[in-house]
């Protein structure tokens, strides 16, 4: 009887280890990269881009899907390869460098004297149940003394080209690019660097 129990226990352990070892790791995604903008020869000013503040539900590894008007789900099998905030910061800096070629667009490090600072709050960055990728939030432009010069909301959406998480990541990237273009347009119109 004890021999049979030992063999049964050994068989169960082998089956469990086989099941555990066959689990596939989650797919990991990055926002598509864009060619870097060239640095201006004689910049008219400096724009510092602070790391975006993400809504708490976005500050997770899984890509967020909105399942209906009130239900959100962070995917377990489809995750960001790098923190979402870092990816969004890098992408918006690249987009602003291209859209504002007379400015030196930098991270929030080093000397910030005589520079404007862009702060971003991201409220939505998710796929929606109706096949739309949404990016929304608020941006603030501050002078080097920390005084508020401009404050606006942004909202951009892109329909998914097809089903699946790769299409969602590409559509989210397009929505983020639209948001960056809206911000760049307002900064150009504000004429803050004269």
């Amino acid at each position: 009887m004890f021999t049979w129990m030992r063999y049964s226990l050994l068989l169960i352990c082998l089956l469990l280890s086989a099941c555990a070892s066959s689990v596939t790791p989650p797919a990991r995604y990055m926002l598509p990269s864009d060619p870097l903008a060239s640095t201006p020869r004689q910049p008219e000013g400096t724009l510092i881009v602070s790391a975006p503040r993400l809504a708490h539900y976005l500050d997770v590894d899984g890509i967020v899907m909105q399942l209906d008007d009130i239900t959100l789900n962070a995917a377990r099998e489809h995750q960001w390869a790098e923190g979402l905030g870092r990816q969004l910061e890098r992408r918006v800096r690249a987009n602003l460098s291209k859209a504002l070629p007379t400015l030196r667009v930098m991270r929030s490090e080093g000397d910030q004297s005589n520079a404007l600072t862009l702060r971003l709050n991201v409220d939505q960055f998710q796929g929606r149940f109706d096949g739309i990728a949404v990016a929304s939030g608020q941006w603030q432009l501050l002078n080097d003394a920390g005084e508020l010069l401009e404050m606006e909301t942004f909202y951009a959406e892109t329909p998914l080209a097809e089903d699946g998480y790769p299409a969602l990541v590409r559509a989210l990237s397009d929505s983020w690019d639209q948001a960056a273009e809206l911000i760049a347009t307002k900064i150009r119109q504000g004429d803050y660097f004269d």
Side-chain angles (χ1 to χ4, degrees):
M1 172 125 175
F2 288 111
T3 306
W4 179 81
M5 287 179 71
R6 285 183 186 162
Y7 286 125
S8 297
L9 186 57
L10 180 62
L11 181 61
I12 289 171
C13 288
L14 287 173
L15 287 173
L16 287 175
S17 68
C19 289
S21 65
S22 67
V23 174
T24 58
R28 301 208 179 258
Y29 299 89
M30 293 284 293
L31 293 175
S33 60
D34 238 11
L36 293 176
S38 59
T39 305
R41 291 190 181 139
Q42 295 196 1
E44 295 174 9
T46 301
L47 178 64
I48 305 294
V49 179
S50 296
R53 287 185 173 180
L54 302 177
H56 183 67
Y57 76 92
L58 293 172
D59 199 10
V60 294
D61 291 336
I63 297 173
V64 175
M65 261 309 281
Q66 184 175 343
L67 304 178
D68 56 33
D69 60 333
I70 60 170
T71 309
L72 296 169
N73 181 56
R76 290 186 187 146
E77 299 301 317
H78 302 277
Q79 300 181 354
W80 295 112
E82 177 183 27
L84 180 58
R86 285 180 165 219
Q87 292 186 66
L88 294 177
E89 178 189 355
R90 187 169 46 247
R91 184 83 180 191
V92 79
R93 275 190 292 115
N95 285 333
L96 292 175
S97 291
K98 270 197 248 180
L100 303 167
T102 60
L103 299 181
R104 181 184 305 119
V105 180
M106 304 171 54
R107 295 181 66 181
S108 58
E109 297 175 351
D111 182 25
Q112 296 182 14
S113 58
N114 299 320
L116 297 183
T117 299
L118 176 68
R119 288 188 191 158
L120 294 161
N121 294 313
V122 181
D123 299 327
Q124 294 180 301
F125 195 77
Q126 66 228 28
R128 233 174 33 203
F129 59 93
D130 58 356
I132 301 292
V134 178
S136 73
Q138 181 187 74
W139 63 274
Q140 301 168 354
L141 190 65
L142 298 98
N143 65 16
D144 59 348
E147 298 166 334
L148 184 65
L149 301 174
E150 184 95 29
M151 182 171 66
E152 297 273 339
T153 59
F154 63 87
Y155 180 88
E157 60 180 40
T158 304
L160 273 66
E162 57 191 19
D163 288 342
Y165 279 91
L168 173 57
V169 170
R170 289 182 184 98
L172 284 168
S173 180
D174 289 346
S175 291
W176 189 242
D177 292 349
Q178 290 173 46
E181 184 54 42
L182 291 170
I183 294 167
T185 299
K186 284 290 195 174
I187 291 173
R188 270 193 305 268
Q189 290 172 350
D191 213 18
Y192 299 106
F193 293 96
D194 283 345

